[in-house]
Amino acid sequence: MTKKKSRFLQTPVEPFAVDSGLTADQLLARMEKISFQGRNLATAHRIWQKMLEDDVTIFLGMAGALSAGGLRLIVAHLIANRYVDCLVSTGANLYHDLHETRGQRHFIGSPQADDAALAEERIDRVYDTFASEEEFIGNDNWIAAFAATLEKRAYTSREFLYLLGGHLWKTTGRDGILTAAHRANVPIFCPAIADSSIGMGLSQARQKTPGAGYIDIIGDIVESANMIIRRPRTASVVLGGGTPKNFINQASVQAEFYSDEVSGHRYALQIVTDVPHFGGASGSSLEEAQSWGKLATDSARVSVQADATIALPILVSALATTAAPLVARRKAPAFTLASPVMTIDGETVPHDRFEEVNESAV
Amino acid sequence: MTKKKSRFLQTPVEPFAVDSGLTADQLLARMEKISFQGRNLATAHRIWQKMLEDDVTIFLGMAGALSAGGLRLIVAHLIANRYVDCLVSTGANLYHDLHETRGQRHFIGSPQADDAALAEERIDRVYDTFASEEEFIGNDNWIAAFAATLEKRAYTSREFLYLLGGHLWKTTGRDGILTAAHRANVPIFCPAIADSSIGMGLSQARQKTPGAGYIDIIGDIVESANMIIRRPRTASVVLGGGTPKNFINQASVQAEFYSDEVSGHRYALQIVTDVPHFGGASGSSLEEAQSWGKLATDSARVSVQADATIALPILVSALATTAAPLVARRKAPAFTLASPVMTIDGETVPHDRFEEVNESAV
Amino acid sequence: MTKKKSRFLQTPVEPFAVDSGLTADQLLARMEKISFQGRNLATAHRIWQKMLEDDVTIFLGMAGALSAGGLRLIVAHLIANRYVDCLVSTGANLYHDLHETRGQRHFIGSPQADDAALAEERIDRVYDTFASEEEFIGNDNWIAAFAATLEKRAYTSREFLYLLGGHLWKTTGRDGILTAAHRANVPIFCPAIADSSIGMGLSQARQKTPGAGYIDIIGDIVESANMIIRRPRTASVVLGGGTPKNFINQASVQAEFYSDEVSGHRYALQIVTDVPHFGGASGSSLEEAQSWGKLATDSARVSVQADATIALPILVSALATTAAPLVARRKAPAFTLASPVMTIDGETVPHDRFEEVNESAV
Amino acid sequence: MTKKKSRFLQTPVEPFAVDSGLTADQLLARMEKISFQGRNLATAHRIWQKMLEDDVTIFLGMAGALSAGGLRLIVAHLIANRYVDCLVSTGANLYHDLHETRGQRHFIGSPQADDAALAEERIDRVYDTFASEEEFIGNDNWIAAFAATLEKRAYTSREFLYLLGGHLWKTTGRDGILTAAHRANVPIFCPAIADSSIGMGLSQARQKTPGAGYIDIIGDIVESANMIIRRPRTASVVLGGGTPKNFINQASVQAEFYSDEVSGHRYALQIVTDVPHFGGASGSSLEEAQSWGKLATDSARVSVQADATIALPILVSALATTAAPLVARRKAPAFTLASPVMTIDGETVPHDRFEEVNESAV
């Protein structure tokens, strides 16, 4: 009806057309033309493909009860197939992964459960999911026993988790996040390891063996920044915000102090349920991240406001179709993780001092 | 590890396993075993199937910018194929449907757009979606012109919308919510029609023709309750809350005054983004609805906290596979809607007085 | 430390300093210098003061369970003291107001209550608040009985609610929203009256007396737009979104068709818990409202993301101190509401046709 | 109207009555009788008073941008006056506190700011708040320089932050969280210190001085649990969730392994904006916390869904009136913090092994 279309009215919304038998990638292809979070989820799918085509190190951050909630094998799949190159996780997600890899389960429960009755039976509740406290205590002991066997020195969380994954693989032979990362030589950082049952297990190692259970969490900062100094082109995929989201961004900001090559992530996608307007980092927008230099101002980016238990199964199922050829062609960075000093593509990456590419900005 | 499993630890969470080529229904089948909103979305799929197998009248409520946001053909599909039997909608969703059925479009936009520039160019923004104000004014005129041709009397929103859908079908021959409902003889109620551009069009009809543009909104209350008195077994599917959610519940509560056969919806599923803890009706829980008698206390029910632009495409794509045989077998109520008095299965349903099956409770 | 301050770094955040005995207005004065929603709430206080100093018609929209939740006397206070000039409300808020004005109560409850037990005892729950279903049925009857006494014709919701408020005042002599509005001659619109127990009462009036219970909801659109055509400078205060938010904006957009003097609200403040990114109108931003012409592009505006049960008591308690002199000086529009045709400042305002100040744009 | 009141209908909601000059505590006294989050905020006020009357160790957790957002002097007030006995914080809150204590400011900004322009001028944005990146780099250097002066060994975050607070007090003499805690001998734990600019400063200390910047984060787990083993009656006040919320709960769970006296916090209040239904710990309910033994099943508890920038100023302003006599009478635990081993009430608290009151449960 309007004579000449406004510059604002270029690409029409295409109403989603229902068909039977649509696959995950077909669903997302149709959702790319609709609005709101449906469009954003489809955009996330496209941006992840672009990351895989480009030569970038892909960081994955995960917070929220994703492992307990049934997403751990998706994350293991992303690691094993190198859709991502480095995981930054809360301790809880690694712990609940270990719980299942050790052959134990989480259970379908209800948010209306009687918590006093659960406490009585020593069942722990995570919203609508239950688990046995006794089994959790068993895990703590298992972690403590393993940590007590290690040489008495401080470990970065990255080194410790690599060793833990190896021990888990050796004793169980089962797939999971920790075991997949061990086998694929994908580093895992856990900056808030002290705030988790893995941390509790480590603290109990001291009870068994004086001098055990020391983690060099500041070394993780150095090592993660050095990873970016070494390979300055990066991408960030964030599930749920929390410490992993900030740690991935901080690594880039820290790296920028020591290298002019670094200028923020080239790609960023986040799937979060928090909102920006209360000021917290978990919900902070990707636009805001540009002001800090966490993201390049010309980065491709999208924020999806959705529960990861809906968004991630669809997104990764779609990638399993669309990204398989990209992953096959991809030249991912090669890590070795078996010692205090990791290597990338054959070169060591120190955790006790930053690599200064420039004159120090500090 | 635990000797005897607690009654709380019966059904394990099954971590979602990634595969390429998964279809929407396969995705949901796997999501049924995980946690949080992913599980809830899968449960919604199962409950909708149960509704279709049972002999219930299925009400669909829709609020939020679903039509502008690209979901109108999903709703049209649900109506045309009788996944639902009655639609209760905000006026805006019907208006944005009419906008597209008339051959106009909504456009892909950005939430970071400069709203002063948009105002300058007379582009209206709905979050990340744009449309032409000039075309909207054209719609208002079109509605006003149609309303001015009608016999000068009050119409329930249900009757008016049936006639509007017919006029739209005749002039465009295009699929959409209003046209699908007209063709499938599915009633549409719009209790807040005064709060929409359809209401604005009706108000402008008075300007053209004194005596035009009268809506008997209280008649809609009577008629919708009588639908439930006539067929007391019902189900409620709610997208986004708002007036449609409450209107569907109110119809059941109102019907219960006049018939002991009515005892709340037997099935309820809602896809909402509002939360219960601020007290508003949009976010209110389905548990709370039991206290009012809106739901039977043994109803099958699930609340999904998700944006409908993510949840609905998946859910209805899955139903297109899983529910096709159920829909084929289904004995849906048959309506005629062409006059002030609708019929169900051949019997008239008054809008000027409730049918009293019992001694009046009033 | 920086040599010359950036244009972005002009006004420092002043950390909130704790003192005993701070009054509501002192609290807000200190919150104006902090961040996030605290600052926004303080800004709302300042903007409301500006509205009262300017010559604008102030519309108040209310949605959500504010009356049941204990805020009805705040709204009555705003009306009685003419902090606002026109109320647009959901039916539920007027109904729960009537419930208490009739001498009945809502009760302190719990969100963890057993809803099946409540249903058994016929107690209705609104999150953490309970009420007697039997008393609600009594209200419905009372409304029906009153509506049945009225002359048999259609009433705008505005006229009907004025009459209802009068009847309520006469029979109870108690303060409340409806009685305060009646006594202060402040118009109340209820565009979604069909979606409420007031609507249910009206529908039951037809059962008692054929021809009773007709509401001319489209007349409300005309009348509300004419109010703005008559006095084009307006302000919008919105609590909770819903139909009232849109109806207030729609009145301005509709008025603009007929008068070039109208160009959107000059002031806008909203206290909402919904968010913009799902596309719904309740959570839509005030920036977006500019694109539609709902707000003047140079309007003073603020959106507060907070539950009204926290924000409103503080805000209005502060205004009771800071705005008392402004209200005393204020020249509010004078309405008469006792007949089908209202007057503003002595001039009639039709509800059956728009006043065309310009050449008709339609 | 009902003959005999139901057991559910005992305490009526009292509508909030507006008065001028109401103080914060008077506001909350009236809000205690209304509904939803207003009532919850008032309940938080009452529960905090009960904590202060009882003989409990009060933990305060803070996450979210509270210091940048203008709440740091409220937290300093709580510490200095011993409304709380131990702070668990994100690193960012301590860092932004240090930023201002060093005489620098955060600035009033806008969420609609142009982030590319901000990046250009090296201004960092936190939603609606700005700060100078250059000043932040100065802080990092200052922290690094201080850390480099310390004896070369690992420090718990608790010990390091005590020393940092002391250095800050000595060099600035200004009030703030770190300086107040130093002066009042209130321990601060920062379990995710690696995920913050304080961590970045520590990592840069290594660049200056090999062997500097080592934090023993696992020691914090042991020490915090030992605090609870020593004084098993505890309370938890949580602002914003995150790692502090879980760390406070974990300390109680960990302590319970070693002492039967410990059985979860006796009081819990949280002010959060996250919601339970996505499964994340930040939004998890206090009911759920019982299942884990984090809370005693008979604990007094309340969750307030609100932005802390609104809730905390009111709550603490009210406490400044109502709790002053309670604080005066209160027998708070006495700490010394100046060495690797802290003391409580004169007795040492190890950080390298748990105190086993019982036979070890492990």
Side-chain angles (χ1 to χ4, degrees):
Chain A
M1 239 166 223
T2 38
K3 300 286 165 48
K4 183 172 159 298
K5 279 297 178 198
S6 155
R7 66 189 157 119
F8 291 114
L9 305 181
Q10 295 300 322
T11 310
V13 168
E14 300 284 353
F16 189 99
V18 179
D19 275 310
S20 74
L22 291 180
T23 55
D25 58 303
Q26 291 170 331
L27 283 167
L28 290 181
R30 294 185 185 198
M31 287 162 75
E32 197 156 2
K33 310 281 185 53
I34 65 171
S35 299
F36 316 145
Q37 302 308 315
R39 187 199 299 165
N40 288 347
L41 183 57
T43 302
H45 179 224
R46 180 172 297 271
I47 289 180
W48 206 326
Q49 291 177 65
K50 282 190 189 162
M51 290 181 195
L52 293 169
E53 289 177 304
D54 197 351
D55 182 25
V56 293
T57 306
I58 305 177
F59 288 84
L60 173 65
M62 72 185 293
L66 307 190
S67 286
L71 303 187
R72 58 189 269 280
L73 292 187
I74 297 181
V75 174
H77 176 93
L78 293 171
I79 288 169
N81 295 284
R82 291 305 290 271
Y83 288 82
V84 299
D85 302 310
C86 177
L87 176 65
V88 182
S89 177
T90 60
N93 275 313
L94 303 175
Y95 182 83
H96 290 281
D97 172 67
L98 176 149
H99 175 75
E100 294 206 8
T101 303
R102 291 189 66 228
Q104 303 157 139
R105 309 302 292 262
H106 298 86
F107 292 86
I108 304 281
S110 160
Q112 272 91 38
D114 175 344
D115 289 293
L118 291 171
E120 189 73 28
E121 297 210 23
R122 306 188 65 201
I123 308 295
D124 295 345
R125 178 166 76 86
V126 177
Y127 193 58
D128 62 4
T129 300
F130 299 152
S132 158
E133 200 165 293
E134 191 179 334
E135 289 179 358
F136 283 171
I137 290 170
N139 296 332
D140 299 354
N141 282 332
W142 189 91
I143 294 167
F146 168 68
T149 65
L150 297 177
E151 188 187 344
K152 300 296 161 292
R153 59 171 171 85
Y155 295 77
T156 56
S157 73
R158 192 274 309 156
E159 184 187 7
F160 174 73
L161 292 168
Y162 176 79
L163 298 171
L164 186 68
H167 183 58
L168 200 53
W169 176 247
K170 208 169 54 188
T171 54
T172 71
R174 286 202 194 88
D175 279 336
I177 296 172
L178 283 163
T179 52
H182 179 86
R183 297 172 71 205
N185 287 304
V186 163
I188 302 177
F189 292 93
C190 184
I193 196 167
D195 175 46
S196 74
S197 291
I198 294 185
M200 289 169 72
L202 285 160
S203 72
Q204 293 167 23
R206 297 194 183 181
Q207 207 76 355
K208 296 182 188 297
T209 309
Y214 281 82
I215 296 293
D216 172 21
I217 210 77
I218 305 300
D220 287 306
I221 299 179
V222 179
E223 195 171 72
S224 60
N226 278 339
M227 283 176 65
I228 299 184
I229 291 169
R230 190 67 58 81
R231 290 176 52 95
R233 295 183 58 81
T234 55
S236 160
V237 177
V238 164
L239 309 173
T243 52
K245 174 177 177 175
N246 187 62
F247 189 81
I248 292 171
N249 287 333
Q250 166 184 297
S252 182
V253 169
Q254 182 70 76
E256 208 175 333
F257 286 1
Y258 297 103
S259 167
D260 286 345
E261 306 283 304
V262 176
S263 61
H265 304 302
R266 262 63 169 180
Y267 303 89
L269 77 84
Q270 61 179 4
I271 298 172
V272 293
T273 54
D274 284 356
V275 292
H277 45 256
F278 302 121
S282 287
S284 64
S285 73
L286 298 178
E287 283 68 41
E288 176 180 312
Q290 296 172 85
S291 77
W292 295 78
K294 297 166 180 174
L295 293 194
T297 50
D298 61 349
S299 59
R301 58 183 179 269
V302 71
S303 186
V304 187
Q305 283 280 344
D307 188 355
T309 57
I310 293 181
L312 203 64
I314 301 166
L315 182 55
V316 179
S317 295
L319 285 173
T321 300
T322 57
L326 308 176
V327 164
R329 274 200 299 276
R330 187 170 184 245
K331 200 165 61 68
F335 302 100
T336 65
L337 305 169
S339 80
V341 177
M342 68 184 279
T343 69
I344 308 183
D345 298 334
E347 307 277 334
T348 58
V349 177
H351 66 272
D352 55 358
R353 79 178 278 108
F354 296 101
E355 302 209 300
E356 304 193 41
V357 172
N358 310 328
E359 310 294 296
S360 166
V362 185
Chain B
M1 241 166 221
T2 37
K3 300 288 166 45
K4 185 173 156 298
K5 279 299 179 197
S6 155
R7 64 188 158 119
F8 291 115
L9 306 180
Q10 295 300 322
T11 311
V13 167
E14 300 283 354
F16 189 98
V18 179
D19 275 309
S20 74
L22 291 180
T23 54
D25 58 303
Q26 290 170 331
L27 283 167
L28 290 181
R30 294 185 186 198
M31 287 162 75
E32 197 156 3
K33 310 282 185 54
I34 65 171
S35 299
F36 316 146
Q37 302 309 315
R39 187 198 300 165
N40 288 346
L41 182 58
T43 302
H45 179 223
R46 180 173 296 273
I47 289 180
W48 205 325
Q49 292 176 65
K50 282 190 188 162
M51 290 181 196
L52 292 168
E53 290 177 303
D54 198 351
D55 182 25
V56 293
T57 306
I58 305 177
F59 288 83
L60 173 66
M62 72 186 292
L66 307 190
S67 286
L71 303 187
R72 58 188 269 281
L73 293 187
I74 297 182
V75 175
H77 176 93
L78 292 171
I79 288 169
N81 295 284
R82 293 305 290 273
Y83 288 82
V84 299
D85 301 311
C86 178
L87 176 65
V88 182
S89 178
T90 60
N93 276 313
L94 303 175
Y95 181 83
H96 291 281
D97 172 66
L98 175 149
H99 175 76
E100 295 206 7
T101 302
R102 290 190 66 229
Q104 304 158 137
R105 309 300 293 262
H106 298 87
F107 292 86
I108 304 282
S110 161
Q112 272 92 38
D114 175 346
D115 289 292
L118 291 172
E120 190 72 27
E121 297 209 23
R122 306 187 67 200
I123 308 295
D124 295 346
R125 178 166 77 87
V126 178
Y127 193 59
D128 61 4
T129 300
F130 298 153
S132 158
E133 200 165 291
E134 193 179 332
E135 290 178 357
F136 282 171
I137 290 170
N139 296 332
D140 299 354
N141 282 332
W142 189 89
I143 294 167
F146 169 68
T149 65
L150 298 178
E151 186 187 346
K152 302 295 161 291
R153 60 172 170 83
Y155 296 76
T156 56
S157 73
R158 191 274 308 154
E159 183 188 7
F160 173 72
L161 292 168
Y162 176 78
L163 298 172
L164 186 69
H167 182 57
L168 199 52
W169 176 247
K170 208 169 54 189
T171 54
T172 70
R174 285 201 196 90
D175 278 337
I177 297 172
L178 283 163
T179 52
H182 179 86
R183 296 172 70 205
N185 288 304
V186 163
I188 303 177
F189 291 94
C190 185
I193 196 167
D195 177 45
S196 75
S197 292
I198 294 185
M200 289 168 72
L202 285 161
S203 72
Q204 293 168 23
R206 296 194 183 180
Q207 207 76 354
K208 296 182 187 296
T209 310
Y214 280 82
I215 296 294
D216 171 21
I217 211 76
I218 305 301
D220 287 307
I221 299 178
V222 178
E223 196 171 72
S224 60
N226 278 339
M227 284 175 64
I228 299 183
I229 292 168
R230 190 67 59 77
R231 289 176 54 93
R233 294 183 59 80
T234 56
S236 161
V237 176
V238 164
L239 308 174
T243 51
K245 174 177 177 176
N246 188 62
F247 189 81
I248 292 171
N249 287 333
Q250 166 184 296
S252 182
V253 169
Q254 183 70 75
E256 208 174 333
F257 286 2
Y258 297 103
S259 166
D260 286 346
E261 305 283 304
V262 176
S263 61
H265 304 303
R266 262 63 168 182
Y267 302 89
L269 76 85
Q270 61 179 3
I271 298 173
V272 293
T273 54
D274 285 355
V275 291
H277 45 256
F278 302 121
S282 286
S284 64
S285 73
L286 298 177
E287 284 68 40
E288 176 180 312
Q290 297 172 85
S291 76
W292 296 78
K294 297 166 179 175
L295 293 194
T297 49
D298 61 349
S299 59
R301 59 184 178 269
V302 71
S303 186
V304 186
Q305 283 279 344
D307 188 356
T309 58
I310 293 181
L312 203 65
I314 302 166
L315 182 54
V316 179
S317 296
L319 285 173
T321 299
T322 57
L326 308 177
V327 165
R329 275 200 299 276
R330 188 171 182 243
K331 201 165 59 69
F335 302 101
T336 66
L337 305 169
S339 79
V341 176
M342 68 183 278
T343 69
I344 308 183
D345 298 332
E347 308 275 334
T348 58
V349 176
H351 66 270
D352 56 358
R353 77 179 278 108
F354 296 101
E355 303 208 300
E356 303 193 42
V357 172
N358 309 328
E359 310 294 296
S360 166
V362 185
Chain C
M1 242 167 222
T2 38
K3 300 285 167 48
K4 186 173 158 296
K5 279 297 178 199
S6 156
R7 66 190 157 118
F8 291 114
L9 306 181
Q10 296 299 322
T11 309
V13 167
E14 299 284 352
F16 189 98
V18 180
D19 275 311
S20 73
L22 291 180
T23 55
D25 57 303
Q26 292 170 331
L27 284 167
L28 289 181
R30 294 184 186 198
M31 286 162 76
E32 197 156 3
K33 311 281 184 54
I34 65 172
S35 299
F36 316 144
Q37 302 308 316
R39 188 198 300 165
N40 288 347
L41 183 57
T43 302
H45 179 224
R46 181 172 296 271
I47 288 179
W48 204 327
Q49 291 176 64
K50 282 189 189 162
M51 290 181 196
L52 292 169
E53 288 177 304
D54 197 352
D55 182 24
V56 293
T57 306
I58 305 177
F59 288 83
L60 173 65
M62 72 185 293
L66 307 190
S67 287
L71 303 187
R72 58 190 270 280
L73 293 187
I74 297 182
V75 175
H77 176 92
L78 293 171
I79 289 169
N81 296 283
R82 292 304 290 272
Y83 287 81
V84 298
D85 301 311
C86 178
L87 177 65
V88 182
S89 178
T90 59
N93 276 313
L94 303 175
Y95 182 83
H96 291 282
D97 172 67
L98 175 149
H99 175 76
E100 294 206 6
T101 303
R102 291 189 66 228
Q104 303 158 138
R105 309 301 292 262
H106 298 86
F107 292 86
I108 305 281
S110 160
Q112 273 92 37
D114 175 345
D115 289 292
L118 291 172
E120 189 73 27
E121 297 209 23
R122 306 188 65 200
I123 309 295
D124 295 347
R125 178 165 77 87
V126 178
Y127 192 59
D128 61 4
T129 299
F130 298 153
S132 159
E133 200 164 291
E134 192 179 332
E135 290 178 358
F136 282 171
I137 291 170
N139 296 332
D140 298 354
N141 283 332
W142 188 90
I143 293 167
F146 168 68
T149 65
L150 297 178
E151 188 187 344
K152 301 296 162 288
R153 59 171 171 85
Y155 294 78
T156 56
S157 74
R158 192 274 309 155
E159 184 189 5
F160 174 72
L161 292 168
Y162 176 80
L163 297 172
L164 186 69
H167 183 57
L168 199 52
W169 176 247
K170 208 168 57 188
T171 53
T172 71
R174 285 200 195 91
D175 279 337
I177 296 171
L178 283 164
T179 52
H182 179 87
R183 296 172 70 205
N185 288 304
V186 164
I188 302 178
F189 292 93
C190 185
I193 196 167
D195 177 45
S196 74
S197 291
I198 294 185
M200 290 168 72
L202 285 161
S203 72
Q204 293 168 23
R206 296 194 182 180
Q207 207 76 355
K208 295 181 189 296
T209 310
Y214 280 82
I215 295 294
D216 172 21
I217 211 76
I218 305 300
D220 286 306
I221 299 179
V222 179
E223 196 170 73
S224 60
N226 279 338
M227 284 176 64
I228 299 183
I229 292 169
R230 190 67 59 80
R231 290 175 54 93
R233 295 184 57 82
T234 56
S236 161
V237 177
V238 163
L239 308 173
T243 52
K245 174 177 177 176
N246 187 63
F247 189 82
I248 292 172
N249 287 332
Q250 165 183 298
S252 182
V253 169
Q254 183 69 76
E256 209 174 332
F257 287 1
Y258 297 102
S259 166
D260 287 345
E261 306 282 305
V262 176
S263 60
H265 303 303
R266 262 62 170 183
Y267 302 90
L269 78 84
Q270 63 179 3
I271 298 172
V272 293
T273 53
D274 284 355
V275 292
H277 44 257
F278 303 121
S282 287
S284 63
S285 73
L286 298 177
E287 284 67 41
E288 175 180 313
Q290 297 171 84
S291 75
W292 296 78
K294 296 166 179 174
L295 292 195
T297 50
D298 61 348
S299 60
R301 59 184 178 270
V302 70
S303 185
V304 187
Q305 283 279 345
D307 187 355
T309 58
I310 292 181
L312 203 65
I314 302 166
L315 182 55
V316 179
S317 296
L319 285 173
T321 299
T322 57
L326 308 177
V327 164
R329 273 200 300 276
R330 188 171 183 244
K331 200 163 61 69
F335 302 100
T336 66
L337 305 169
S339 79
V341 177
M342 68 183 280
T343 69
I344 307 183
D345 299 333
E347 307 276 332
T348 57
V349 177
H351 66 273
D352 54 0
R353 80 180 275 107
F354 296 102
E355 303 210 300
E356 303 193 42
V357 172
N358 309 329
E359 310 295 296
S360 167
V362 185
Chain D
M1 240 167 220
T2 38
K3 299 287 166 46
K4 186 173 158 295
K5 279 297 177 198
S6 156
R7 65 190 158 119
F8 291 113
L9 305 180
Q10 295 299 322
T11 311
V13 168
E14 299 283 354
F16 189 98
V18 180
D19 274 311
S20 73
L22 291 180
T23 55
D25 57 303
Q26 291 170 330
L27 284 167
L28 289 181
R30 294 185 186 198
M31 287 162 76
E32 197 156 3
K33 310 283 185 54
I34 64 172
S35 299
F36 316 144
Q37 302 308 315
R39 187 198 300 165
N40 288 347
L41 182 58
T43 302
H45 179 224
R46 180 173 297 271
I47 288 179
W48 205 327
Q49 292 173 253
K50 281 190 190 163
M51 290 180 195
L52 293 168
E53 288 176 305
D54 198 351
D55 183 24
V56 293
T57 306
I58 305 177
F59 288 83
L60 173 65
M62 73 185 293
L66 306 190
S67 286
L71 303 187
R72 59 189 269 280
L73 293 187
I74 297 181
V75 175
H77 176 93
L78 292 171
I79 289 168
N81 295 284
R82 292 304 290 273
Y83 287 82
V84 298
D85 301 311
C86 178
L87 177 65
V88 182
S89 178
T90 61
N93 275 313
L94 303 175
Y95 181 82
H96 291 281
D97 172 66
L98 175 148
H99 175 76
E100 294 206 7
T101 302
R102 291 188 66 228
Q104 303 158 139
R105 309 300 291 263
H106 298 86
F107 291 86
I108 305 281
S110 161
Q112 273 91 37
D114 175 345
D115 289 292
L118 291 171
E120 189 72 27
E121 298 210 21
R122 307 187 67 199
I123 309 295
D124 295 347
R125 178 165 77 86
V126 178
Y127 192 59
D128 61 5
T129 299
F130 298 153
S132 157
E133 200 164 290
E134 192 179 332
E135 290 178 358
F136 282 171
I137 290 170
N139 295 332
D140 298 354
N141 282 332
W142 188 91
I143 293 166
F146 169 69
T149 66
L150 296 178
E151 187 187 345
K152 302 295 162 290
R153 59 172 170 85
Y155 295 77
T156 56
S157 73
R158 192 274 308 156
E159 184 188 6
F160 173 73
L161 292 168
Y162 176 79
L163 297 172
L164 185 69
H167 183 57
L168 199 53
W169 175 246
K170 208 168 57 189
T171 53
T172 71
R174 287 200 194 90
D175 279 337
I177 295 171
L178 283 163
T179 52
H182 178 87
R183 297 172 70 205
N185 288 304
V186 164
I188 302 178
F189 292 94
C190 184
I193 196 167
D195 176 45
S196 74
S197 291
I198 294 185
M200 289 169 72
L202 285 161
S203 71
Q204 293 168 22
R206 295 193 183 180
Q207 207 76 355
K208 296 181 188 295
T209 308
Y214 281 81
I215 296 294
D216 171 22
I217 211 76
I218 305 300
D220 287 305
I221 299 178
V222 178
E223 195 171 73
S224 60
N226 278 338
M227 283 176 64
I228 299 183
I229 292 168
R230 190 67 58 79
R231 291 176 53 93
R233 295 183 57 82
T234 56
S236 161
V237 176
V238 164
L239 307 174
T243 51
K245 174 176 177 176
N246 188 62
F247 189 82
I248 293 171
N249 287 333
Q250 166 183 297
S252 183
V253 169
Q254 183 69 78
E256 209 174 333
F257 286 2
Y258 297 102
S259 166
D260 287 346
E261 305 283 304
V262 176
S263 61
H265 304 302
R266 263 62 170 184
Y267 302 89
L269 77 86
Q270 62 179 4
I271 298 173
V272 293
T273 53
D274 284 355
V275 292
H277 45 257
F278 303 122
S282 287
S284 64
S285 75
L286 298 176
E287 283 67 40
E288 175 180 314
Q290 296 171 84
S291 75
W292 295 78
K294 297 166 179 175
L295 292 195
T297 51
D298 61 348
S299 59
R301 59 184 178 268
V302 71
S303 186
V304 186
Q305 283 280 345
D307 188 355
T309 58
I310 293 182
L312 203 66
I314 302 166
L315 182 54
V316 178
S317 295
L319 285 173
T321 299
T322 57
L326 307 177
V327 164
R329 272 199 301 275
R330 189 172 181 243
K331 201 164 60 70
F335 302 101
T336 66
L337 305 168
S339 79
V341 177
M342 68 184 279
T343 69
I344 307 183
D345 299 331
E347 308 276 332
T348 58
V349 176
H351 66 272
D352 55 0
R353 81 179 276 108
F354 297 102
E355 303 210 299
E356 304 193 42
V357 172
N358 309 328
E359 310 295 296
S360 167
V362 185

